[in-house]
Amino acid sequence: MEHRLRPLSRRGVLTAAAAGVTTAALAACTKEKDSGDSGSGGGTGDLDVIVIGAGVAGLGAARELTDGGKKVVVVEARDRIGGRMFTDHTSMSVPIEFGCQVIHGAKASTWDLVHKRKLKTHQLTTVATRKQPGDPWERSERQDGGLWDQPPGDIPPEYKNYRVIGGYDQVLVPLADKLSIRLNTVVKRVEYSSTGVVVNAERRGRPVTYKARAVVVAIPVPVLAADTIEFVPPLPAQKVEAFKAVPQDPAMKVIVEFDHPVIPEDADVVQDASVPWWLVNGSKGEPGYKGQIFVVVADSPEDTERLLALPRERRHKEVLDVIRDITGDPGLRPVKVAEHEWAKDPFARGALSPYDVPSADVIYEPNGDTLYWAGIITESVDTSRDHGKKVAAQVLKQLGGR
């Protein structure tokens, strides 16, 4: 079956230290404080900025604003930070990425976070191919791991792909360091005017209110399109229509663990002429790990929609059958199969943020001097963080700051 390989950055392959150390560091960054959250604000009235959403764009904005001397609180609906960067440290023997998978390019702005944490990375380079099951594996070396729709050759630096050993979420630690973050806080209503903003939310079933001079909204566009947050006064019709007009590209990513290598251990990516999916080695480079992690990503929207319409068990069976065919082992059994269904996640409502959206200017247009928009339709970790920083600079200019 022929299929066109698409740029990995559209899917994030959905696209350190030991896991315990990383988890502890993230927990320290996101330690919650119950004081000052109840009633009419409880002392939060002197806030400069409220950031809604602790994904990479929100954290990027909050980091810049805090470093610029502003008093900031980040409110996040989930019980974790990262948004659609979701590293799972517990389901399998090594950390796995339910969301974004790799750093795209040697020049991505993410690298300063990698260097701050002294993290190790693995560049995807080795592609294993064969014409049909049972044939010998052939290897080729590509700077991009064979994940781009172009012939081998000189790969531009921006096309190289790198996986963070020990979990992508480690880059969040310097972003979230010492920020005031309120987890499990679901925003219901945002009141904005020329004098400031009031954010009404629910935190573990009880109402909480935050007041500040400005607010930065940094949540995925499908959530905004679903009208889950009430804005007072109502947003301009043109902006609401722009939210709803952004197309959603379905994505399916199933992660499978085996207790031994089932494809060549040196392979980063498997390409098989009979398989219409990406097959990525998600564990290569993990120190001391004896098994193997398969990251399976459907390529075409049609195939993705078909698979997502299946019950989860049937979807996983189809993925396993494909892996068994590739390996030539019909009795192959996994240790664990897992996925995160982003379309059913109420705080994402989709796995992918599109890019090149014609209405981006309308979406990002601030409402007055108090309501700003960050991320929303960015398509990678570095572009999300960069946009968060860009919007923070606008807010600092308005409020007064560096």
Side-chain angles (χ1 to χ4, degrees):
M1 177 178 179
E2 287 190 13
H3 62 288
R4 183 174 61 88
L5 299 183
R6 303 173 71 185
L8 180 65
S9 61
R10 291 201 181 192
R11 299 189 176 272
V13 177
L14 266 182
T15 352
V21 175
T22 302
T23 302
L26 286 170
C29 289
T30 59
K31 184 177 181 181
E32 298 181 274
K33 300 177 182 178
D34 288 321
S35 61
D37 286 347
S38 61
S40 62
T44 63
D46 60 344
L47 288 172
D48 292 305
V49 186
I50 302 161
V51 177
I52 301 175
V56 177
L59 293 176
R63 174 83 278 143
E64 197 78 359
L65 290 163
T66 299
D67 291 348
K70 300 306 175 186
K71 187 173 181 181
V72 181
V73 68
V74 182
V75 293
E76 167 58 46
R78 307 178 191 277
D79 59 0
R80 61 174 179 83
I81 63 174
R84 286 178 288 187
M85 172 187 280
F86 184 6
T87 305
D88 183 347
H89 291 269
T90 61
S91 292
M92 296 186 178
S93 302
V94 296
I96 57 175
E97 308 294 349
F98 282 134
C100 45
Q101 185 89 13
V102 296
I103 298 173
H104 299 294
K107 297 181 179 180
S109 61
T110 323
W111 285 104
D112 71 315
L113 304 174
V114 172
H115 298 323
K116 283 180 182 179
R117 292 284 294 167
K118 299 181 180 179
L119 303 176
K120 294 181 179 180
T121 60
H122 168 71
Q123 184 184 344
L124 280 63
T125 58
T126 304
V127 182
T129 60
R130 59 183 178 184
K131 295 180 180 179
Q132 60 183 7
D135 285 356
W137 287 102
E138 298 179 2
R139 281 105 162 149
S140 61
E141 298 296 317
R142 289 185 54 155
Q143 291 291 308
D144 62 344
L147 293 167
W148 289 86
D149 190 14
Q150 65 178 58
D154 293 330
I155 306 296
E158 63 269 23
Y159 287 178
K160 299 177 181 180
N161 292 291
Y162 304 80
R163 189 169 57 82
V164 179
I165 301 299
Y168 206 166
D169 66 346
Q170 295 171 101
V171 304
L172 299 177
V173 175
L175 278 183
D177 185 35
K178 298 179 181 178
L179 293 183
S180 179
I181 302 175
R182 302 293 191 267
L183 301 178
N184 301 294
T185 304
V186 182
V187 173
K188 299 294 187 179
R189 179 182 173 102
V190 175
E191 303 171 18
Y192 63 102
S193 68
S194 60
T195 59
V197 296
V198 177
V199 173
N200 298 285
E202 288 185 3
R203 188 167 183 228
R204 298 192 178 96
R206 65 183 179 88
V208 291
T209 304
Y210 302 94
K211 299 177 182 179
R213 298 166 64 191
V215 62
V216 176
V217 180
I219 59 179
V221 71
V223 179
L224 292 167
D227 296 324
T228 60
I229 299 175
E230 179 187 7
F231 290 89
V232 181
L235 297 174
Q238 187 180 18
K239 186 181 287 287
V240 175
E241 291 169 2
F243 291 154
K244 296 181 184 296
V246 175
Q248 292 305 300
D249 191 5
M252 185 218 70
K253 178 178 181 180
V254 176
I255 303 173
V256 188
E257 179 177 18
F258 298 96
D259 60 8
H260 64 282
V262 298
I263 60 168
E265 293 184 67
D266 60 346
D268 291 304
V269 178
V270 172
Q271 290 182 4
D272 188 298
S274 65
V275 180
W277 305 332
W278 293 108
L279 300 170
V280 181
N281 186 341
S283 55
K284 184 179 174 182
E286 293 291 341
Y289 179 56
K290 303 300 183 182
Q292 198 166 60
I293 302 289
F294 250 111
V295 181
V296 181
V297 186
D299 181 50
S300 71
E302 296 79 10
D303 197 36
T304 302
E305 290 176 353
R306 178 187 66 80
L307 289 165
L308 289 175
L310 297 175
R312 179 178 281 208
E313 289 185 1
R314 285 184 58 191
R315 180 163 62 247
H316 291 181
K317 182 181 183 302
E318 184 167 334
V319 168
L320 283 170
D321 286 344
V322 166
I323 296 174
R324 288 165 179 153
D325 287 344
I326 291 173
T327 60
D329 184 354
L332 187 64
R333 294 187 178 278
V335 175
K336 182 72 179 290
V337 182
E339 69 174 304
H340 184 77
E341 296 184 70
W342 290 102
K344 296 181 180 179
D345 183 329
F347 307 123
R349 295 176 180 256
L352 300 172
S353 292
Y355 57 102
D356 294 335
V357 175
S359 58
D361 290 345
V362 175
I363 288 173
Y364 288 135
E365 178 67 25
N367 295 90
D369 297 328
T370 56
L371 177 55
Y372 297 82
W373 309 86
I376 313 294
I377 51 174
T378 48
E379 49 94 16
S380 65
V381 172
D382 57 311
T383 57
S384 296
R385 181 202 182 193
D386 293 346
H387 194 259
K389 293 175 65 176
K390 177 181 178 180
V391 172
Q394 297 174 350
V395 178
L396 286 171
K397 182 178 180 180
Q398 177 61 35
L399 298 184
R402 72 170 178 80

